[in-house]
Amino acid sequence: MAVSLTHLEKSYQDPSGKSFRVLGPIDLRIETGEFLCLLGPTGCGKTTLLRILSGLEQADSGKVSLGAGRFGYVFQQGALFPWMNVESNVMFPLKAKGMTGSECRSRAAEMLNHVGLYGFSKSFPHELSGGMQQRTALARGLVTEPELLLLDEPFASLDTRTGINLQEMLRAICGRLSTTVIYVTHSIEEAVYLADRIVVMGHSPGRIVRNESLNLKWPRSRLSSEFTEILLSFRQTFEKLVDPSATLSS
Amino acid sequence: MGGRVPSGRFTVDSWQKVRNLLPGFIIPALILIVWFFFSGSTLLPAPDLVIRILLHPSEDLLSCGSLLWNTGVSLIRVLLGLSIAILLGTPLGFMMGASQRFRQFTSVITELARPLSPIALLPLSIIIFKDTSFTEVLGLNHLKYTRHILNELQIGMVFILAWGGIFPVILETMHGVRGVRKVYIEAARVLGAGKLFIFKHVLLPASLPDIFAGYRMAVGRCWMVIIAAEMLPGTNSGIGYLLRYSYQLSRLDVMLACIFIIALIGLIFSRGLELAGEKWLLLRARER
Ligand SMILES: Nc1ncnc2c1ncn2[C@@H]1O[C@H](COP(=O)(O)OP(=O)(O)O)[C@@H](O)[C@H]1O
Ligand SMILES: [Mg+2]
């Protein structure tokens, strides 16, 4: 599903009631089947952008155009329903759309297989490790086979090894389903490993400072020289963002 | 998976539980012994007299009906009042939790009414409802002069029980609904759930532990209220009435038996509901 944002703007009020600009103006287009990483420092408005895309929040001005298709959403962390077991969590979006009984169950089971949670369908979230919880969250986001998947720092709270495993798994599944993906992260390495295209956001207000397709072939190796080169170039962009004085010295 | 205890260990565990409980029985046993030795020289009847009454619960006492009958009357009154409290209080609490407008609209009246003891309303409710019982409400006048449970269910009594029970139900339900984390509701929304689906599958289960806690408090309060209410004018049945009547006739054996039953039922209510809550409603699944 192609997505396009034109001149999107959003302001919030700070505790004293003064309005401050969080986003914009932002212009961005995402092509069907593209895996886009939205990379930016904490507080630059990445979550706000995803919330506007998903309809949880309204933009002040500008236009969001999404196809009418299904979309999935994976939260930063802890949005599994703790009173439901893994299977019920994963079946939730199916049931919400009115699907019933055995078809629900078989599609949930299939998705749980894909994310490597075979045999855990009756466990409750609090019985699972952080990695397994995020696998469940992924399965829940993907079970409707969405045309657009939005992910908000889904693996940020996991240790590096677990995070890398899940990144590989996510790429594989989204490739197979040809899902359009917007993946929000503040980790440069994660972005360079996953993305077809990286959009770097700066803050105050949130805006796009760099928008670049990667020509890295699959499978990607984190040790290859191309990889480290691209990583370095994005790290420089990032450092300028965090510390504007770096612009002067370079 | 962790947390699943193999069945072989179950007996060991339950033995351990019994052993842990035992020390708690030392003090009651001591009281029983002291009571036994001093009962001859005081007003207190010997324990065996009381135990005899407890062992024959269906014998008539003081021409007021049996222990079983009077206990049953009190229990059914409580059940009726409690059902009304739950049926009215749960949806009210839900609306107050879910809608800020409705909460503002009802806040003053609930804050004023809540601290008012139901017992304080008993005289008023007798004036309003007289001693109208459900026999009359249902038009079953042929039952009127027989011993039938419907004759013992006075509207006024049920009213104050419902009063006593409804506030814990309302407040805990409201508290539960307001406490549902926003991220669950947003997750449900972005996963495509509509309002009704969110209500049934997110709001309700997420606030169930609090709602259930409200029911537990309500049962406890109703049990206290009914005993006090039955000891006041306006009734001539129920365990509270039997208790007061035994006092008037100075029958301390009957009185002690009544006290024992009241305590026992109070215990069953609170512990039983606690266990039921943990086991059947899977409230523990909320642990994180
Ligand atoms: N509901 C809100 N009300 C007021 N300010 C908010 C709200 N949500 C986010 N903000 C502010 O907007 C900015 C961007 O937040 P967010 O989109 O969460 O950033 P990111 O996800 O990139 O870390 C932050 O400064 C944050 O404090
Ligand atoms: Mg964020």
Side-chain angles (χ1 to χ4, degrees):
Chain A
M1 187 195 319
V3 179
S4 83
L5 308 175
T6 28
H7 244 64
L8 204 69
E9 291 185 331
K10 174 79 183 169
S11 297
Y12 278 128
Q13 303 208 315
D14 66 10
S16 66
K18 230 175 60 210
S19 162
F20 71 98
R21 175 92 72 81
V22 181
L23 280 184
I26 286 191
D27 292 275
L28 183 63
R29 192 178 157 77
I30 301 126
E31 302 303 330
T32 306
E34 196 175 21
F35 197 118
L36 182 103
C37 275
L38 204 56
L39 175 66
T42 306
C44 72
K46 307 182 295 294
T47 299
T48 307
L49 188 61
L50 279 198
R51 289 171 64 85
I52 290 172
L53 273 170
S54 65
L56 284 176
E57 208 94 51
Q58 291 290 313
D60 297 335
S61 64
K63 212 173 116 220
V64 180
S65 82
L66 292 173
R70 297 177 300 271
F71 75 95
Y73 198 115
V74 179
F75 284 83
Q76 209 149 356
Q77 41 142 311
L80 291 176
F81 303 124
W83 58 90
M84 293 182 189
N85 63 23
V86 165
E87 183 183 46
S88 304
N89 262 290
V90 174
M91 289 193 304
F92 187 92
L94 299 176
K95 291 207 159 148
K97 299 230 163 72
M99 194 187 285
T100 49
S102 60
E103 193 186 355
C104 253
R105 199 147 294 167
S106 70
R107 286 186 57 175
E110 190 187 339
M111 196 44 76
L112 283 172
N113 263 343
H114 285 325
V115 300
L117 279 179
Y118 179 79
F120 289 95
S121 56
K122 300 297 177 213
S123 303
F124 281 87
H126 72 270
E127 299 173 315
L128 303 177
S129 68
M132 284 153 84
Q133 288 180 12
Q134 283 314 81
R135 282 172 199 265
T136 310
L138 263 188
R140 190 176 69 174
L142 280 164
V143 72
T144 55
E145 306 201 345
E147 290 153 72
L148 174 66
L149 181 65
L150 309 172
L151 303 106
D152 191 358
E153 310 201 26
F155 309 139
S157 59
L158 306 178
D159 64 84
T160 324
R161 186 67 245 168
T162 315
I164 288 175
N165 286 340
L166 289 183
Q167 286 164 32
E168 284 167 8
M169 191 193 72
L170 174 70
R171 252 323 297 212
I173 297 176
C174 290
R176 193 162 50 231
L177 301 176
S178 31
T179 319
T180 310
V181 180
I182 302 179
Y183 186 105
V184 161
T185 179
H186 65 258
S187 152
I188 302 166
E189 194 179 324
E190 208 175 4
V192 176
Y193 180 76
L194 281 171
D196 294 329
R197 183 151 61 101
I198 296 181
V199 168
V200 182
M201 277 177 74
H203 54 63
S204 319
R207 67 209 187 288
I208 293 171
V209 297
R210 185 171 171 185
N211 182 348
E212 189 174 313
S213 296
L214 306 186
N215 49 16
L216 276 171
K217 281 189 292 296
W218 287 95
R220 290 179 182 175
S221 154
R222 286 180 167 77
L223 301 174
S224 70
S225 57
E226 299 102 305
F227 189 93
T228 37
E229 205 174 295
I230 292 173
L231 190 69
L232 216 63
S233 116
F234 275 98
R235 191 161 282 156
Q236 273 165 358
T237 309
F238 220 66
E239 250 146 44
K240 279 179 212 156
L241 278 178
V242 180
D243 174 19
S245 66
T247 332
L248 301 174
S249 58
S250 70
Chain B
M1 286 305 305
R4 304 263 151 86
V5 178
S7 57
R9 263 174 61 198
F10 181 73
T11 45
V12 179
D13 276 0
S14 44
W15 252 118
Q16 193 60 43
K17 264 187 200 154
V18 172
R19 281 238 297 273
N20 290 343
L21 278 177
L22 277 179
F25 285 101
I26 292 175
I27 294 174
L30 281 176
I31 292 175
L32 209 62
I33 291 167
V34 172
W35 175 15
F36 189 77
F37 280 105
F38 286 88
S39 56
S41 59
T42 60
L43 276 175
L44 283 178
D48 50 318
L49 280 177
V50 177
I51 290 168
R52 215 201 69 84
I53 294 176
L54 291 172
L55 288 178
H56 299 85
S58 46
E59 262 172 32
D60 187 84
L61 292 170
L62 320 177
S63 315
C64 290
S66 65
L67 199 56
L68 211 56
W69 161 257
N70 283 293
T71 309
V73 167
S74 300
L75 278 175
I76 290 174
R77 282 173 179 156
V78 164
L79 244 55
L80 201 60
L82 189 71
S83 311
I84 293 172
I86 286 176
L87 288 177
L88 286 178
T90 315
L92 270 175
F94 232 99
M95 290 196 285
M96 285 173 70
S99 149
Q100 196 189 351
R101 171 106 13 116
F102 191 74
R103 188 161 60 245
Q104 287 166 342
F105 179 66
T106 49
S107 62
V108 171
I109 183 75
T110 43
E111 284 308 308
L112 283 176
R114 187 166 62 101
L116 186 55
S117 159
I119 297 298
L121 288 177
L122 185 62
L124 184 66
S125 86
I126 291 175
I127 291 173
I128 294 174
F129 298 110
K130 313 278 182 323
D131 60 347
T132 314
S133 70
F134 273 76
T135 322
E136 289 149 58
V137 174
L138 300 174
L140 304 168
N141 287 327
H142 61 283
L143 291 174
K144 206 161 176 188
Y145 299 103
T146 61
R147 169 160 284 185
H148 193 279
I149 186 70
L150 285 176
N151 290 328
E152 312 302 333
L153 300 176
Q154 292 84 357
I155 307 272
M157 195 75 85
V158 172
F159 170 75
I160 63 159
L161 283 168
W163 183 280
I166 202 165
F167 292 105
V169 173
I170 289 179
L171 290 172
E172 287 301 302
T173 304
M174 179 179 88
H175 179 80
V177 173
R178 291 188 73 186
V180 176
R181 286 178 52 203
K182 215 173 119 210
V183 64
Y184 298 142
I185 294 165
E186 291 188 337
R189 272 177 60 193
V190 294
L191 293 169
K195 278 213 159 81
L196 190 66
F197 195 86
I198 291 179
F199 169 77
K200 257 175 74 182
H201 296 277
V202 179
L203 238 39
L204 203 56
S207 48
L208 207 56
D210 291 303
I211 296 176
F212 198 73
Y215 292 176
R216 255 172 60 196
M217 284 161 69
V219 177
R221 280 190 68 174
C222 281
W223 189 238
M224 294 212 170
V225 168
I226 190 65
I227 302 302
E230 286 171 348
M231 290 175 71
L232 292 167
T235 177
N236 50 17
S237 59
I239 190 93
Y241 175 75
L242 189 61
L243 179 67
R244 194 198 59 165
Y245 196 57
S246 67
Y247 159 77
Q248 285 174 330
L249 300 185
S250 299
R251 283 289 299 274
L252 268 75
D253 51 345
V254 177
M255 188 194 275
L256 287 172
C258 289
I259 292 175
F260 181 81
I261 294 289
I262 291 168
L264 184 70
I265 287 176
L267 176 78
I268 291 172
F269 274 155
S270 68
R271 285 293 294 157
L273 282 175
E274 202 174 313
L275 291 177
E278 279 181 14
K279 279 238 163 71
W280 297 322
L281 292 173
L282 213 72
L283 303 185
R284 287 201 166 153
R286 269 191 117 194
E287 276 170 27
R288 306 177 43 74

